[in-house]
Amino acid sequence: METLMSILVGVFFAIGTYLILTKSLLRIILGTSIISHGVHLLILTMGGLKTGGPPLLGLDSLSFTDALPQALILTAIVINFATTALFLVLSYRSYKLLGTDDTSQMRGNEDE
Amino acid sequence: MSLLHIMILIPFIFAIFVPLLYKFFNPRIHTGWFVLIIPVIIFIYLIRFIPGISSGETMYHSMAWMPSFGINFDAYVDGLGLVFGLLITGIGALVILYSIYYMSKEREALHNFYVYLLMFMGAMLGVVFSDNILVLYVFWELTSISSFLLIAYWYQREKSRYGAQKSMLITIFGGLAMLSGFIMLSMMTDTYSIREMFTQINVITEHHLFLPAMILILLGAFTKSAQFPFSIWLPDAMEAPTPISAYLHSATMVKAGIYLVARMTPIFGGSSEWFWLVSGIGLITLLYGSINAVRQTDLKGLLAYSTISQLGLIMSLLGIGSAALYFGYGREADLYVVAITASIFHMINHSTFKGSLFMVVGIIDHETGTRDIRRLGGLMTIMPISFTIAVIGSFAMAGLPPFNGFISKEMFFTSVLEASKLTEFNMETFGILFPVIAWVASVFTFIYSMILVFKTFRGKYKPEKLEKKAHEAPIGMLISPIILASLVVIIFFFPNIIADYLLKPAVASVLPSLAEGGIIDMKISAWHGWNTELFMTIGVVVLGGLMYMYLKKWVGIYRLYPQNMTLNQLYNSGLDHAQGWSKSLTDGYMTGYIRDYIAYLFGFFILFIGGTLLVTQSITLDFSNNAPVNVFEGALVLAMMTAAVTVLFAKTRLTAIIALGVLGYLVSMFFVIFRAPDLALTQLVVETVTTALFLLCFYHLPKFKEHTKRVPLKPLNLVISIGVGIIVTLFAFSANGTRLFDPIASYYEDAYELAGAKNIVNSILVDFRGIDTMLEIFVLCIAGLGVYTMIKLGLDRREK
């Protein structure tokens, strides 16, 4: 399972990177989302898969899966949500102001 | 913190109040009057040390700064430091007094001027009274920085900025070289204290870093003291106001290099490399400076080259004198002690006569509006006091009696004659060059000294060429040069006061091993009888006088030297090329397209992570402790891959967004399988909201353009992204294959006892790592604010 997950994560990273390297703002945001999914799965895989019950003490399991990666991922999901929202609104705003969603046309001042 | 530390720091502390004083009292009271108090107080404080120091005492106070690194602010006063300290504060006081009349309180930014000046004074005191080499280095660079600020004081002028940049580049280059030399020294001796290094001289001389450290430290000293070929910054530094030229660029800062060489003599002296480098470079500089001074038409330019030349003289004396350490004890050593004595003596003398000359040139500039020798002349009757001071200063510089320059010049001749008889250090072959170079340079020194006096004060008065009507300077401006000129004469008649109280302890700290033997004994007298030295001086006067009289006939020789081969030309073209080269290099990769920068980041990621994996050989492909895969999970993985690929190849935005949503939900299903209920819940909620957000923005963003409907195929991007994917996969494999440590999660399994929570993940988030979570909420708040601002604020106005 871990091997399969590692390959999956690699595919996510490759697709995400390719999308980030395109010009369209929307595709860039899609790319970052895919990469962050990849990161979550990677952290989860690193903790070891299915080595015990869910990390809840009230249940009758003798051992638990590693709770630390889960806490990290939980944080990552929330932060990722915040940044995605910010990116989306940023691209919306820049489209409104600049009239393009093509990053290669978003040049700065004259004297750059 | 002792009084000594306060003394070093008080100029800095007082500098804070200077702008306030300027604000409240200018233009009623010249700010200089307040500043003047500081050097006067320190000077008096230092004078009190003289009796103790001259009887062989030293003073040492330590103040902890970074004790764990062995870096402490150690203040140390000995004979050498004291001479410099007195020069810094004594000349400093006179210069500030002079500047009160020189710098107009109506027109000049006096607060800047005096803040820089005080900063320099404090830094310079720090240099000469620090025992810790790193502290010394910090103060050393501070003097470079304050010199930079003072040269660029009239920053509106292009030449000021050019000169400031030049001095900065050259002296900081030397400073950095010196720092690496210092670090080598501390590597050899395992201490940062100069005095502790003196106890380990044997270790240093036998170490293989001995020569590199010596050369690097000398680079620092030579750049600071404007030795050939680094001397080019000093003439351009003359763009500074004249009080600054008198203070920094002739009396004190340029002598920091002399100080460093003198201070390091006990460590490096006695070796032939040190002897040759210091005395050789010194003599070349002496000759180069004196020959170039003759061709100058700007009075300050002439003084600048003369300063370079005189610094070379002092430097060469220190080099010759270092031979004393080679001999150790005995009559030979005694002969070379004279050289060290002469160097410090001449340094004091130089500060007096050159300081007075600079001030006179400043007066001429101030009262006539020009410093050009070709426009000046006949000022003797108009400015009699200035003329007298100029005569005293110039004749001392030329080495004539009855002025102090004569005595130290005679001692210089003694030393070079002595050096030519030296049979060690390969001196049999080249020794004769020493007195020859010294004598030729002295002839040129005589010529430019005469030019300085007679071209400005004698000849025909040319009022039509002057901007102002010339008249004598106000008395306040004359006080300082008069004091210095009187010292020039007094020292000639009573040299032994200086010798007993200042020179002897100073020489003792340059040659500590000889001082312990008690053989440093000096009597300086103006009259030595009819010896070789005197005949050399007479020769200088005769030939110099003849050459001065026929100056017009031979001065054209200077024009024969090709203009494009000067050191300045080399510096300028070097600087231009460096700038052009670095610009074209930067333009090459700074394209301005964010995509390119991201490609660099990923490229670096591949090279760095992949390279590390390769180099450390940590790629492991061990699949033994894999969990089994069932059909359901396999199907999920397949579905996720399909969703991700769909996002990539989607032709419409809606397809892409929905595919991403599918991907998110599939991930949350994964979390369920892998026993992470909290994650699954969070992911579900977040994914729903994100998809809604995407759809909202989708409504506003433009469609994929016709020619970019498909994701365009770019081979380079493809290579980069596949590379990233492979590296991540390999990384994951290797991390899975090697488990170096046991998981620390078992600690959190006591969550109920420790935090009273049954959900371990939640207890980690809100209890064990509560502050992290709080900061995370903070990030969310900022993002929320950003979202709100970008949607709401200011857009309506622009749309209209």
Side-chain angles (χ1 to χ4, degrees), chain B residues 114-166:
Chain B
Y114 285 113
V115 167
Y116 302 156
L117 193 73
L118 282 171
M119 188 167 117
F120 168 76
M121 192 183 289
M124 201 63 207
L125 288 172
V127 167
V128 299
F129 289 130
S130 289
D131 182 49
N132 188 299
I133 45 174
L134 291 182
V135 178
L136 192 156
Y137 169 75
V138 171
F139 282 122
W140 180 278
E141 294 294 37
L142 259 180
T143 63
S144 293
I145 292 167
S146 45
S147 157
F148 168 81
L149 291 169
L150 282 166
I151 297 171
Y153 172 70
W154 285 312
Y155 52 82
Q156 314 83 328
R157 304 181 185 172
E158 199 193 335
K159 280 179 114 182
S160 298
R161 298 197 299 271
Y162 171 78
Q165 187 202 30
K166 199 179 199 177

Side-chain angles (χ1 to χ4, degrees), chain A residues 1-35 37-38 40-42 44-59 62-108 112, chain B residues 591-595 598-599 602 623 625-629 633-634 637 640-641 644-645 647-648 650 653 656-657 660 663-664 667 670-671 673-679 682-683 686-687 689-690 693-694 697 700-702 704-705 708-714 717-718 720-722 724-725 728-729 732-733 735-736 739 743-745 748-749 751-752 757-762 764-765 776 779-780 783 786-787 789-791 793-795 798-799:
Chain A
M1 191 70 219
E2 273 87 347
T3 312
L4 200 59
M5 291 294 287
S6 302
I7 294 169
L8 183 68
V9 167
V11 171
F12 276 16
F13 265 85
I15 291 175
T17 311
Y18 195 82
L19 283 172
I20 286 178
L21 290 171
T22 56
K23 290 178 184 173
S24 155
L25 274 180
L26 188 66
R27 283 208 175 100
I28 293 175
I29 302 171
L30 291 171
T32 55
S33 295
I34 292 182
I35 283 194
H37 283 314
H40 300 161
L41 292 181
L42 181 66
L44 194 71
T45 314
M46 293 299 101
L49 297 172
K50 297 197 283 188
T51 49
L56 299 171
L57 292 172
L59 304 177
L62 291 172
S63 66
F64 308 100
T65 49
D66 200 331
L68 212 52
Q70 296 196 10
L72 289 176
I73 297 169
L74 198 63
T75 313
I77 291 174
V78 177
I79 294 279
N80 178 45
F81 165 65
T83 48
T84 308
L86 194 70
F87 276 156
L88 274 172
V89 179
L90 192 64
S91 59
Y92 157 76
R93 171 97 179 192
S94 53
Y95 177 64
K96 281 274 164 186
L97 284 181
L98 306 170
T100 177
D101 75 329
D102 185 346
T103 52
S104 61
Q105 288 171 22
M106 294 181 183
R107 297 307 300 266
E112 197 176 13
Chain B
T591 54
Y593 291 106
I594 195 135
R595 222 156 8 98
I598 294 174
F602 282 123
F623 307 122
N625 47 10
N626 269 2
V629 187
E633 290 159 0
V637 169
M640 283 167 79
M641 284 209 191
V645 173
V647 175
L648 182 62
R653 297 166 299 156
I657 292 168
L660 186 72
L663 183 60
V667 168
F670 243 91
F671 289 147
I673 297 174
F674 293 132
R675 324 259 198 277
D678 299 282
L679 296 190
T682 319
Q683 178 70 25
V686 164
E687 200 53 48
V689 181
T690 314
L693 240 161
F694 260 108
C697 285
H700 290 286
L701 285 175
F704 288 154
K705 285 194 196 105
T708 57
K709 247 184 187 173
R710 247 172 199 290
V711 162
L713 183 74
K714 292 246 175 81
N717 291 357
L718 195 65
I720 292 177
S721 35
I722 289 176
V724 169
V728 170
T729 305
F733 282 161
N736 263 326
R739 298 260 174 217
I744 55 169
Y748 297 106
E749 285 170 13
Y752 192 69
K758 288 188 175 172
N759 184 329
I760 304 177
V761 175
N762 284 2
I764 292 176
L765 286 177
E776 186 197 345
V779 172
L780 275 181
V787 169
T789 335
M790 278 191 287
I791 292 178
L793 296 182
L795 205 55
R798 291 226 185 182
E799 270 175 332

Side-chain angles (χ1 to χ4, degrees), chain B residues 14-29:
Chain B
F14 191 78
I16 298 170
F17 299 102
V18 167
L20 292 176
L21 290 168
Y22 176 76
K23 196 171 176 220
F24 288 120
F25 293 106
N26 201 59
R28 271 175 298 148
I29 305 173

Side-chain angles (χ1 to χ4, degrees), chain B residues 33 36 93-103 243 359-360 363 366-367 385-386 389 472-484:
Chain B
W33 290 115
L36 182 61
L94 294 176
V95 162
I96 290 174
L97 178 65
Y98 176 77
S99 73
I100 291 171
Y101 294 91
Y102 188 86
M103 306 295 285
M359 288 176 185
V360 167
I363 288 172
H366 204 258
E367 306 305 336
I385 307 175
S386 306
I389 301 166
E472 185 60 280
I475 185 68
M477 219 165 172
L478 287 167
I479 296 173
S480 300
I482 287 175
I483 293 176
L484 286 172

